[in-house]
Amino acid sequence: PLFALSLLRCSDMAMLFELHSKDYEILERNVRQSKLVVNTFKLDGFTGLSEELDNSNYKDYNKVVLIDPSYEMKSDFSTIPRILEGVSQTNSDACYIIWCKLVSLFEFRIDLFLF
């Protein structure tokens, strides 16, 4: 997240999701000093993404969505295309980036993301 925040402009806003309590505390501590608009959510990003993207408070912001799934759960491979298909219908102007670890690349099927 700190790398992504370093690329934001002052007029940008970040929404960061983290489900795990310990990691959320670290995330909060790391972004607390930021001068940017940073909203953190202690919940699964797959759950919160659609709801937050559709929030009218964010309609004036350019949206770039970086998804960094754990890939610990094999269901992430099928969840990502389903989530993206849903959010892209209401937020077609957003840019969606999926962080894909090289270890997981061999299990990753790009054809699932072409819709």
Side-chain angles (χ1 to χ4, degrees), residues 15-68:
M15 291 185 289
L16 306 174
F17 298 90
E18 179 55 59
L19 183 60
H20 303 290
S21 295
K22 291 276 188 200
D23 292 336
Y24 180 77
E25 290 174 18
I26 294 168
L27 177 65
E28 275 279 293
R29 190 172 44 246
N30 285 331
V31 301
R32 192 175 299 139
Q33 303 302 320
S34 176
K35 294 182 172 110
L36 301 168
V37 178
V38 179
N39 297 313
T40 57
F41 303 89
K42 187 181 178 298
L43 61 108
D44 180 8
F46 291 142
T47 305
L49 180 62
S50 176
E51 192 174 305
E52 290 303 322
L53 278 179
D54 290 339
N55 187 326
S56 63
N57 293 329
Y58 308 130
K59 70 177 188 287
D60 294 330
Y61 289 99
N62 293 322
K63 298 175 183 113
V64 176
V65 177
L66 171 63
I67 299 174
D68 179 12

Side-chain angles (χ1 to χ4, degrees), residues 3-14 36-38 64:
F3 175 71
L5 291 178
S6 73
L7 300 175
L8 296 181
R9 301 165 296 190
C10 292
S11 59
D12 294 336
M13 184 266 310
L36 301 168
V37 178
V38 179
V64 176

Side-chain angles (χ1 to χ4, degrees), residues 89-103:
Q89 290 179 12
T90 56
N91 291 278
S92 60
D93 59 339
C95 175
Y96 300 93
I97 303 166
I98 299 116
W99 184 271
C100 186
K101 297 162 185 68
L102 289 178
V103 176

